[in-house]
Amino acid sequence: MTITKLGIRELVEFTLRSGDLNASMNSTNTAMEGARIHRMLQKSRGEHYQKEYSLEHQVTLAGKTYLVHGRADGVILADSDTLIEEIKTSDAAFEDLSENTLTLYWGQAKMYGYILMTDEHLEQVTLQLTYYRRPTEEVTTRKLTLSLAEATTFFDDVVTEYEIWLQLQADLRQSRNTSIATLAFPFDHYRTGQRELAVSVYKTLRLKKQLFIEAPTGTGKTISTVFPCIKAMGENQIQRLFYLTAKQSTRRVAEQALSLLGEQGLVMRSITLTAKDTITFPEEVDLAPEDNPYMVGYYDRLKPALKDILTSETAITRSTIETYARKHQVDPFEFSLDVSLFCDVIICDYNYLFDPQVYLQRFFAVDHDDDNFFLVDEAHNLVSRSRDMYSTSLTLGPLTDLIAETKHQSEGSTTLLRSFRSLRKAFFKFAGPLLESKDHESVFNASADGFNKAVNQLAEHISDWLGAEKRPQTDFTKAVLDYYFSCLSYLKIADFYDDTYRTKITIGDDPDRDIVFKQLCLDPSAFLHDCLEKGRGAVLFSATFSPLDYYQRVLGGNEDSLCYQLPSPFPPKHQTILVTNYINTTYRQRDANLVKIITSIKTLVNGKTGNYLIFLPSYSFLSTVSLAFQTAYPDIATVVQTAKMTEPDRNEFLAAFQPHPNHSLVGFAILGGLFSEGIDLTADRLIGVGIVSVGLPGLSTENDLLRDYFDAQNEPGFEYAYQLPGLNHVFQAAGRLIRSTNDVGVVLLMDQRFATPRYTRYFPPHWQYHRVLRQETELAPTIETFWHTISTNSQSKEATHED
């Protein structure tokens, strides 16, 4: 039987924490720095000192067995003189620590004391709290004698308080499981491929595997992945499901799926996590933590707020969190994270699992937890997102501004100014060869250790400056903090640097400002693998996941990961895929083929009155083609995507695609942009899609580095860096056309490269009827034949229905 572990620190913090959230005295030390200080102090303690002493004690709470465990920083076993040391590091002076902070520090030590005395049959121990103030290196020591009777009372009080919440969680799970036992699939029948998808997800969870699955649009991916996971949850195979997405729209789809199951009788708690910048109340934005009424006394109000929302709500969305946060006057973002601990389904962005800077430590600090299972929606987006997560850069410009501003600050900023100048000097020193060569960028296979050391030194100096005294919340202080956090981010990624990384130095038009050091991760698959291993298993799925072995490779799949490609649920002949072999859109041939492109678009539109979307690979090309089309055919209505569209602009663009149009509309949009995925223009709101070019990403140093890296791994570098990312954009754009059983239309691929085996071998199965047109004169009759066939079949069905 698996025994659930309860960390002593987590127990103490949940039961005993009170007071303010994010108090200004909180340490700005990094975990690495804290560990270094711990090792330094432990090393000085003598031969009888046992560091990182493991302690654990089994208890029964709410009818279940738990293992309370932790590691004391140090123990000296000597019968009546036994000592337990708890080491803490921070920037604040010891006398400035809050009463609750000290309560938590001593609380951990007392829990260790109880377990040690129980194990060693001792009547008392000495607890020693050692506090290291990093900016001044001052060490403060306090001691406390703890008897077994005192420790027993303290331990019992802590676990009894925690048992109340464990019982609440057990009650919620019991009602959840009871409702799941009779829960049926929410539709009277499965679509084509839907049952196979649900079964494969359930088997993946049971087998503790990873599944990479391509499920075309219309399969009903969300309900088909969520439903089997919930059934498994009712069997206590998992306790928590993470639904990870890249977009707001897919989060809403997940919420709708759970709402649908709720209508069928499901009783469970789900929560949608919203980014901190988005959910923070407007009145909080410019307030210091100590002046923020939602943070001051946060922990005094947290437990009543938790009990209120958990016993009153099931579907906990952003608006729900905001309502209860205002009611109980707690910070909405932190409140959402605390609520999530008691939820069964957590809908959130990819970064909460995969991003090393912002992942949910409360869930993923441990290496593995079989209670967690992951569903990763639209997982093709994770390829580029993960490279960004594990890459970072540091720019000279903000540092130059800080140097100028620091000169006008008080005398206490002299050391800080010297530190700023020291890093600025490092920028120029390590970019020196590049400056001398007059080139704009250079790339290295090794970490810039000397530069990184200078960044670390500045981070330490800023930490000292912040901790030396209470700093007012001025624009200058905020700017210093912003750059400090940029330094910490840079250093965090430096810890991951290995042979999958490159260091890139870039110099812009103004060398006094535009020097950038970037740590570029070319292949984060190993890091993604480690993240996926934090749960029982995972299903990564997308409507455009071809070829599956490529995505399995770059997204960190195991060698024994499962791969599955579902057929489209819609008849392939509802759309025709036409390849214009007579159009060449390579960069040098675009101008010469412009007339062929716009006349082909016109021929597409001539086939049937309706709404059409034409996708192009860049704003420059989009502007050229759309302007040429408007000039040649001014009577045809058009809408054009622009580079900086606001949300109202986007809504206006989509609103132009009205159902049952009496005249044609042509929309021009960016391939791989916001209109090429995540939008639904069903039925006759869209009857044709044109795609100009194969969508290759632009030539760049970083893409070339990707190509060269995979080539060196004996893998197809050009395909991984250029062809497959571009082709995914093509599949996504084409996927806007057929969204439901009633959708029909034409996909026009305007690039002769689509006709080559290099591309056709990656076409999905439902493109099996694609047709290559070798002459421009073939296009009109082919489209006419398609629409005639569709019309004839439709009339035949209507006649059959009438009979």
Side-chain angles (χ1 to χ4, degrees):
M1 179 183 69
T2 302
I3 299 178
T4 303
K5 290 186 176 182
L6 293 176
I8 286 176
R9 180 172 179 174
E10 290 74 18
L11 269 172
V12 169
E13 289 189 352
F14 186 84
T15 55
L16 301 182
R17 175 164 273 174
S18 62
D20 303 343
L21 170 69
N22 195 28
S24 58
M25 70 176 59
N26 283 356
S27 174
T28 52
N29 295 339
T30 64
M32 184 179 298
E33 176 68 1
R36 183 192 66 80
I37 293 168
H38 273 60
R39 290 194 298 271
M40 177 189 70
L41 293 173
Q42 290 167 334
K43 190 175 181 179
S44 66
R45 293 305 190 237
E47 60 178 327
H48 298 297
Y49 185 89
Q50 301 181 58
K51 64 181 180 180
E52 304 299 328
Y53 192 95
S54 182
L55 293 159
E56 56 186 33
H57 183 73
Q58 192 167 296
V59 295
T60 300
L61 303 173
K64 184 177 178 180
T65 302
Y66 292 89
L67 191 66
V68 178
H69 73 104
R71 279 203 305 265
D73 292 318
V75 168
I76 298 175
L77 289 172
D79 297 328
S80 60
D81 294 325
T82 292
L83 180 140
I84 299 174
E85 182 177 40
E86 181 65 15
I87 301 171
K88 298 295 182 183
T89 66
S90 187
D91 294 341
F94 183 81
E95 55 271 19
D96 291 336
L97 296 178
S98 69
E99 181 178 346
N100 184 245
T101 298
L102 290 172
T103 297
L104 296 178
Y105 288 173
W106 284 115
Q108 278 185 252
K110 290 177 181 179
M111 295 289 281
Y112 297 144
Y114 169 77
I115 297 175
L116 186 64
M117 282 189 278
T118 302
D119 289 348
E120 300 294 331
H121 307 292
L122 302 173
E123 290 300 318
Q124 71 174 37
V125 295
T126 298
L127 307 180
Q128 177 173 303
L129 175 61
T130 301
Y131 181 79
Y132 184 98
R133 187 186 183 194
R134 203 194 59 78
T136 62
E137 299 185 352
E138 179 183 0
V139 178
T140 302
T141 300
R142 296 288 186 270
K143 290 187 178 182
L144 175 70
T145 300
L146 181 71
S147 69
L148 177 60
E150 292 170 329
T152 301
T153 299
F154 181 83
F155 183 91
D156 289 345
D157 287 346
V158 168
V159 296
T160 299
E161 165 67 16
Y162 199 74
E163 185 176 25
I164 296 171
W165 295 92
L166 288 175
Q167 187 62 58
L168 172 62
Q169 186 177 64
D171 292 343
L172 294 177
R173 287 178 174 175
Q174 180 60 47
S175 64
R176 176 198 74 189
N177 290 356
T178 300
S179 71
I180 293 173
T182 57
L183 185 69
F185 192 70
F187 301 104
D188 56 5
H189 69 279
Y190 287 92
R191 295 181 188 173
T192 301
Q194 209 166 24
R195 181 185 291 275
E196 295 96 310
L197 176 55
V199 170
S200 64
V201 170
Y202 184 79
K203 287 182 177 179
T204 299
L205 190 151
R206 288 291 302 268
L207 295 171
K208 300 185 179 182
K209 297 283 188 177
Q210 295 166 7
L211 171 65
F212 290 77
I213 189 162
E214 182 175 65
T217 298
T219 306
K221 297 185 291 296
T222 304
I223 194 66
S224 302
T225 53
V226 169
F227 179 72
C229 291
I230 289 175
K231 295 298 286 186
M233 190 180 291
E235 300 164 358
N236 284 319
Q237 294 182 54
I238 59 171
Q239 298 298 342
R240 199 175 294 110
L241 175 66
F242 289 87
Y243 194 98
L244 300 142
T245 76
K247 295 183 174 64
Q248 289 283 355
S249 57
T250 45
R251 271 167 252 177
R252 286 192 291 271
V253 172
E255 291 173 349
Q256 291 165 2
L258 291 172
S259 176
L260 185 63
L261 291 171
E263 294 172 5
Q264 305 298 312
L266 176 64
V267 179
M268 70 186 322
R269 271 79 192 157
S270 66
I271 187 168
T272 302
L273 297 181
T274 306
K276 184 174 184 177
D277 292 345
T278 304
I279 201 173
T280 297
F281 291 138
E283 60 268 33
E284 290 186 89
V285 173
D286 294 322
L287 293 178
E290 59 268 25
D291 299 324
N292 186 336
Y294 296 96
M295 291 186 175
V296 175
Y298 173 88
Y299 290 106
D300 299 327
R301 300 184 294 275
L302 173 61
K303 290 176 183 176
L306 284 174
K307 189 163 290 187
D308 189 8
I309 195 171
L310 290 170
T311 55
S312 305
E313 306 289 344
T314 52
I316 303 172
T317 61
R318 172 184 172 178
S319 60
T320 311
I321 285 290
E322 290 175 336
T323 298
Y324 283 84
R326 287 197 181 279
K327 178 181 178 182
H328 293 276
Q329 199 170 318
V330 290
D331 177 75
F333 178 70
E334 290 295 332
F335 182 50
S336 69
L337 297 183
D338 286 321
V339 173
S340 70
L341 288 168
F342 295 88
C343 290
D344 308 294
V345 179
I346 300 171
I347 304 169
C348 58
D349 189 87
Y350 295 155
N351 58 16
Y352 286 106
L353 171 62
F354 297 109
D355 193 323
Q357 314 259 20
V358 297
Y359 73 95
L360 293 173
Q361 293 193 36
R362 63 194 66 208
F363 294 113
F364 305 131
V366 296
D367 292 335
H368 181 82
D369 187 346
D370 260 355
D371 281 346
N372 298 332
F373 192 77
F374 307 126
L375 295 178
V376 186
D377 193 6
E378 299 292 353
H380 64 274
N381 287 304
L382 187 57
V383 178
S384 59
R385 277 283 300 272
S386 61
R387 290 194 187 113
D388 290 339
M389 290 174 187
Y390 285 90
S391 301
T392 190
S393 61
L394 198 63
T395 305
L396 175 61
L399 182 62
T400 301
D401 295 337
L402 280 173
I403 290 172
E405 184 60 32
T406 307
K407 294 176 182 177
H408 304 295
Q409 301 300 313
S410 63
E411 293 182 2
S413 301
T414 303
T415 303
L416 189 63
L417 177 60
R418 191 159 49 244
S419 300
F420 287 152
R421 285 173 170 164
S422 179
L423 181 58
R424 178 177 169 82
K425 183 178 179 181
F427 265 100
F428 284 101
K429 175 182 177 182
F430 293 99
L434 185 58
L435 288 165
E436 291 176 6
S437 69
K438 306 295 184 183
D439 292 330
H440 289 290
E441 61 184 23
S442 60
V443 177
F444 305 92
N445 287 6
S447 173
D449 292 335
F451 178 78
N452 295 356
K453 183 178 179 181
V455 175
N456 186 63
Q457 289 172 343
L458 175 60
E460 289 184 355
H461 289 149
I462 294 177
S463 181
D464 292 347
W465 181 78
L466 291 169
E469 59 182 86
K470 185 176 180 180
R471 302 289 174 185
Q473 293 289 315
T474 64
D475 289 343
F476 175 71
T477 305
K478 291 178 182 177
V480 172
L481 275 172
D482 286 345
Y483 204 73
Y484 173 63
F485 290 133
S486 295
C487 291
L488 291 185
S489 175
Y490 187 89
L491 294 169
K492 175 74 174 179
I493 295 301
D495 290 340
F496 291 93
Y497 203 104
D498 58 16
D499 59 6
T500 68
Y501 275 82
R502 300 293 182 267
T503 300
K504 179 185 173 189
I505 304 175
T506 306
I507 298 178
D509 296 333
D510 182 0
D512 286 333
R513 297 184 57 82
D514 301 336
I515 301 178
V516 181
F517 278 70
K518 182 171 186 178
Q519 298 177 111
L520 175 65
C521 183
L522 302 174
D523 180 12
S525 58
F527 306 131
L528 298 180
H529 171 82
D530 291 343
C531 294
L532 293 173
E533 287 294 311
K534 290 182 179 294
R536 178 188 180 100
V539 176
L540 296 88
F541 56 99
S542 172
T544 56
F545 228 24
S546 294
L548 278 169
D549 57 352
Y550 158 72
Y551 286 101
Q552 182 183 8
R553 161 65 180 85
V554 298
L555 293 180
N558 290 321
E559 290 184 1
D560 62 347
S561 295
L562 309 174
C563 291
Y564 192 33
Q565 188 176 44
L566 286 172
S568 172
F570 309 128
K573 291 188 177 182
H574 274 198
Q575 67 178 354
T576 183
I577 312 291
L578 304 179
V579 179
T580 60
N581 199 44
Y582 54 84
I583 291 178
N584 185 342
T585 70
T586 57
Y587 187 78
R588 292 182 178 180
Q589 295 296 321
R590 285 180 180 178
D591 289 343
N593 282 261
L594 181 59
V595 172
K596 292 180 182 179
I597 292 169
I598 64 171
T599 55
S600 295
I601 295 171
K602 178 62 164 58
T603 304
L604 172 66
V605 175
N606 285 346
K608 182 179 174 64
T609 298
N611 300 321
Y612 296 83
L613 260 176
I614 309 300
F615 292 97
L616 297 109
S618 69
Y619 280 105
S620 174
F621 199 17
L622 180 148
S623 177
T624 299
V625 172
S626 62
L627 182 59
F629 185 85
Q630 291 165 336
T631 302
Y633 310 107
D635 294 336
I636 299 179
T638 59
V639 288
V640 181
Q641 180 181 351
T642 58
K644 297 182 179 180
M645 298 181 82
T646 62
E647 186 170 350
D649 292 335
R650 297 194 291 270
N651 293 336
E652 183 180 355
F653 182 97
L654 293 174
F657 293 80
Q658 290 294 315
H660 318 305
N662 53 22
H663 65 271
S664 289
L665 171 75
V666 179
F668 291 91
I670 289 294
L671 190 61
L674 54 92
F675 298 119
S676 66
E677 62 176 296
I679 63 167
D680 280 313
L681 297 171
T682 55
D684 61 356
R685 289 188 67 194
L686 185 67
I687 65 168
V689 168
I691 300 171
V692 183
S693 91
V694 293
L696 295 180
L699 290 171
S700 69
T701 299
E702 294 190 6
N703 285 334
D704 285 348
L705 288 171
L706 281 174
R707 178 198 62 203
D708 296 343
Y709 169 83
F710 285 113
D711 279 343
Q713 306 295 315
N714 294 318
E715 294 173 289
F718 177 80
E719 291 185 15
Y720 282 19
Y722 286 100
Q723 182 186 349
L724 294 177
L727 197 51
N728 188 273
H729 290 157
V730 170
F731 293 153
Q732 283 288 329
R736 297 314 93 207
L737 185 61
I738 305 297
R739 312 293 295 175
S740 70
T741 55
N742 297 320
D743 293 358
V744 294
V746 179
V747 174
L748 186 61
L749 304 176
M750 288 174 271
D751 192 309
Q752 60 187 207
R753 286 172 287 185
F754 283 119
T756 63
R758 166 172 257 176
Y759 282 88
T760 57
R761 68 192 179 108
Y762 290 131
F763 282 5
H766 56 283
W767 282 24
Q768 59 186 294
Y769 297 109
H770 76 273
R771 180 172 175 181
V772 178
L773 307 180
R774 313 217 174 260
Q775 301 293 330
E776 192 170 355
T777 54
E778 296 179 71
L779 182 58
T782 303
I783 292 175
E784 181 181 351
T785 300
F786 170 77
W787 285 120
H788 176 73
T789 303
I790 291 293
S791 176
T792 301
N793 290 342
S794 177
Q795 292 172 5
S796 176
K797 288 180 180 179
E798 289 178 5
T800 301
H801 180 72
E802 290 173 0
D803 291 343

